[in-house]
Amino acid sequence: MSASAVALPGDPPGGRRAAAVWGIGVAVYFVAVIFRTSLGVAGLDAADRFDVNASALSTFSILQLLVYAGMQIPVGLLVDRLGTKKVLTIGVVLFTAGQLGFAFSPSYGTALASRALLGCGDAMTFISVLRLGTRWFPARRGPLIAQVAALFGMAGNLVSTIVVARMLHGLGWTATFAGSAAAGLVVLVPLVLFLKDHPEGHEPPPARHAGSAFVRKQIAQSWREPGTRLGLWVHFTTQFPAMVFLLLWGMPFLIEAQGLSRETAGELLTLVVLSNMVVGLVYGQIIARHHAARVPLALGTVGATALVWATTIVYPGDPAPMWLLITLCTVLGACGPASMIGFDFARPANPPERQGTASGIVNMGGFVASMTTLLAVGVLLDATGDNYRIAFSSVFVLEAVGIAQILRLRARTVRRERERLVASRVEAVHVPA
């Protein structure tokens, strides 16, 4: 048996049962992403159904992301206290109710409430799945488990851009959203019956919670770490261009500003998702072999995104050529994998008992940026008479802010990581055989 195959003392065993249990959690996340991104292919239909302008339309996604981002730290603490199964169960019930409510909403107000409910349930999935992976698989597999979970999330996005879009065109609003809500019930059954928080014999010690003082301490200690803050800003800067494009404004931009058919626009959105899945595997392999490549990959992705985004919106003549739109969608596919690099900065900066809180802080970054840009684009579209060139330029403001923060925190984070590495090596040398 190779050295890498030997489990450390106390390490979860992994194996087929771990894969099966973890797979249930991933299935829940898969469905949550379908529900989260379903509005991205229904933006124009929603505007017609509820008779709203661009600003009001963007409020759907903004409210959903506001709830999602605001729930990240509380969810991290809930997972520590209640366990993964209970939190995921609550999440499934909430996001299924939200999707079903959206299907039958008679007014703009009730539709907003439904998206908020969906966002609350969705917020409980990703951090729970990350924690489930750490409970069932050896620690050395943590980065791979996180990347694979993200890939399944993008597969859910793919279902939205292909299946939900076609259902909407063929079956109509109510049948599409009510029918898709059934997927929540499908994943709820195995979740309740078979999912376990941890394998037998690997029950973690009971968490010591001391009310609000404990919460404040967890958040403060996580935030003091430059790795946590750098992770947040990497996530903030890299994720939001693709999120804004997929979640709401990509389809209207391609149809209204570029004159494409709904089918062609849907294919381009699908390309973003497929590119994301491929690039995710490549970035994961690079970072596993070359840890120092994290910041260059993140900044390179931001630079490439800004360049292609700018070229598309300022291209002389209307519409932009298809090769440029294909390039844009391909490059946007790298944004999701680049955002996962943020967790690779927070993970070594925090001990196991703070991983949930630190992950929640990092995960807020991209969703806050997405929420801000969704609002900015909607307001600018209304103010300029649907001028996408001006509205989409708001992306560069947030990218500039994020790049400045990454460059500011980079050296400090690397220095702290080196100090921890040296300390761990010294400790290992002095441990008696």
Side-chain angles (χ1 to χ4, degrees):
M1 182 181 293
S2 65
S4 62
V6 178
L8 296 175
D11 235 5
R16 293 182 179 179
R17 184 153 187 258
V21 172
W22 178 75
I24 296 172
V26 169
V28 172
Y29 177 55
F30 171 78
V31 173
V33 174
I34 294 176
F35 291 1
R36 178 201 306 171
T37 58
S38 57
L39 184 61
V41 296
L44 296 178
D45 301 85
D48 292 337
R49 180 179 177 85
F50 301 110
D51 191 24
V52 294
N53 59 16
S55 297
L57 180 61
S58 65
T59 305
F60 278 124
S61 296
I62 291 168
L63 179 60
Q64 182 179 331
L65 293 184
L66 177 64
V67 172
Y68 185 102
M71 287 288 293
Q72 289 309 295
I73 294 177
V75 166
L77 295 167
L78 278 175
V79 170
D80 290 337
R81 186 162 194 170
L82 301 179
T84 303
K85 181 174 183 175
K86 291 181 180 178
V87 174
L88 277 178
T89 301
I90 296 171
V92 172
V93 172
L94 291 178
F95 69 61
T96 301
Q99 186 79 340
L100 193 61
F102 197 57
F104 294 100
S105 292
S107 66
Y108 177 67
T110 55
L112 275 178
S114 296
R115 295 308 287 187
L117 191 62
L118 192 157
C120 186
D122 181 20
M124 298 182 176
T125 58
F126 188 64
I127 292 178
S128 296
V129 171
L130 290 180
R131 176 56 60 89
L132 194 65
T134 63
R135 294 298 191 211
W136 280 89
F137 290 95
R140 65 182 182 276
R141 297 185 183 175
L144 176 62
I145 294 301
Q147 286 288 347
V148 173
L151 286 177
F152 275 96
M154 291 313 300
N157 203 329
L158 189 63
V159 171
S160 284
T161 57
I162 297 177
V163 180
V164 175
R166 292 181 179 178
M167 288 175 63
L168 194 63
H169 180 70
L171 301 177
W173 181 278
T174 301
T176 296
F177 284 100
S180 63
L185 300 177
V186 171
V187 296
L188 181 61
V189 174
L191 168 60
V192 172
L193 294 179
F194 303 113
L195 190 137
K196 294 184 180 297
D197 289 344
H198 48 77
E200 294 180 8
H202 293 269
E203 182 175 357
R208 297 177 59 187
H209 295 274
S212 60
F214 170 80
V215 173
R216 289 195 298 270
K217 182 179 179 182
Q218 286 286 90
I219 296 173
Q221 290 181 338
S222 297
W223 183 253
R224 286 194 197 106
E225 291 294 340
T228 303
R229 301 198 301 276
L230 178 58
L232 178 144
W233 286 108
V234 167
H235 200 269
F236 177 100
T237 314
T238 54
Q239 187 201 48
F240 79 96
M243 180 69 72
V244 168
F245 201 80
L246 287 171
L247 200 59
L248 184 61
W249 292 121
M251 183 74 79
F253 168 73
L254 294 171
I255 294 175
E256 296 179 346
Q258 301 301 316
L260 301 180
S261 66
R262 183 183 290 267
E263 291 74 19
T264 303
E267 290 171 357
L268 286 173
L269 293 182
T270 302
L271 177 60
V272 178
V273 179
L274 292 175
S275 173
N276 185 299
M277 298 173 75
V278 173
V279 174
L281 293 174
V282 175
Y283 276 20
Q285 293 295 325
I286 292 175
I287 294 172
R289 291 176 170 82
H290 308 284
H291 213 51
R294 292 171 298 172
V295 170
L297 277 179
L299 292 178
T301 301
V302 174
T305 302
L307 177 62
V308 181
W309 192 279
T311 303
T312 302
I313 63 177
V314 304
Y315 187 85
D318 235 354
M322 181 57 69
W323 65 264
L324 183 55
L325 296 177
I326 291 174
T327 303
L328 172 66
C329 292
T330 303
V331 172
L332 285 176
C335 292
S339 71
M340 294 297 293
I341 296 174
F343 296 100
D344 289 323
F345 285 109
R347 189 181 299 113
N350 292 275
E353 61 269 19
R354 289 207 310 263
Q355 288 294 323
T357 305
S359 295
I361 292 173
V362 171
N363 210 28
M364 287 177 61
F367 290 95
V368 169
S370 299
M371 180 176 55
T372 304
T373 309
L374 283 167
L375 176 60
V377 171
V379 170
L380 290 171
L381 284 174
D382 285 340
T384 61
D386 293 338
N387 188 322
Y388 279 92
R389 289 183 175 178
I390 295 176
F392 273 21
S393 296
S394 59
V395 166
F396 305 121
V397 177
L398 273 73
E399 286 187 327
V401 171
I403 289 172
Q405 293 298 325
I406 292 172
L407 294 177
R408 182 178 70 86
L409 292 165
R410 176 185 182 182
R412 199 181 315 173
T413 300
V414 171
R415 184 170 62 251
R416 289 290 294 271
E417 288 184 352
R418 288 175 178 170
E419 291 172 357
R420 284 192 178 89
L421 181 60
V422 171
S424 64
R425 286 177 175 174
V426 170
E427 183 179 352
V429 169
H430 289 86
V431 172

